[in-house]
Amino acid sequence: MMIAGIGCRKGATARDVRAAIETALEAHGLAMTALSALATSEIKRNEEAIFLAGRDLDLPVLVIPNDALQAVSSSTISRSEESQAHAGTPSVSEASALAAAGKGAKLLGARTVLGPVTCAIAISGDAP
C-alpha cells in the first residue's frame, strides 16, 4: 500500500494538491497509479481541495485522528514549528502518510513542498 499524505494552507486549490502529489511521486520515480489513497489530519477535514483532488484522482481520502498522528510523529523527517503548533505534529503530510500506511510504514523521503501544499509518500510495512 502506498499513501500520499497531504498538508495545506487554507485556500489551497485541488489543482495545487494534485500538483504537489505529482511532484512528490515524480521525485521518487513513481506514477499516480501507484497510490492507494490520500491521507490528511483531522485538522484538515474541512479543506475541500484535498477531497476534490481525491475525487479527481479516484482515490479515497483518509482522515487520520489526532492520536494516530501523535503516535507516528517521532518518525517524521521534517520538523515544522508552525505545524507542531497548529496540528500537534511536526509534519501533517508525513505523519498522515505514515499513520494511514499502518504499522511499520516508511516514508520514501521528506515531504515535498509546492506552494501552499505539502505531500509525503509512505509505503506500508509489508511492502518490499
Side-chain angles (χ1 to χ4, degrees), residues 29-89:
L30 298 167
M32 192 67 74
T33 55
L35 288 179
S36 306
L38 307 182
T40 195
S41 68
E42 185 69 40
I43 198 169
K44 297 297 176 188
R45 175 180 286 286
N46 295 320
E47 292 297 330
E48 186 178 359
I50 298 170
F51 295 89
L52 289 173
R55 187 188 69 201
D56 292 348
L57 299 170
D58 198 26
L59 291 168
V61 177
L62 309 172
V63 177
I64 308 302
N66 291 332
D67 60 340
L69 293 180
Q70 308 278 319
V72 299
S73 285
S74 64
S75 298
T76 63
I77 297 168
S78 302
R79 303 274 182 233
S80 164
E81 299 288 330
E82 188 174 335
S83 179
Q84 185 67 54
H86 288 90
T89 181

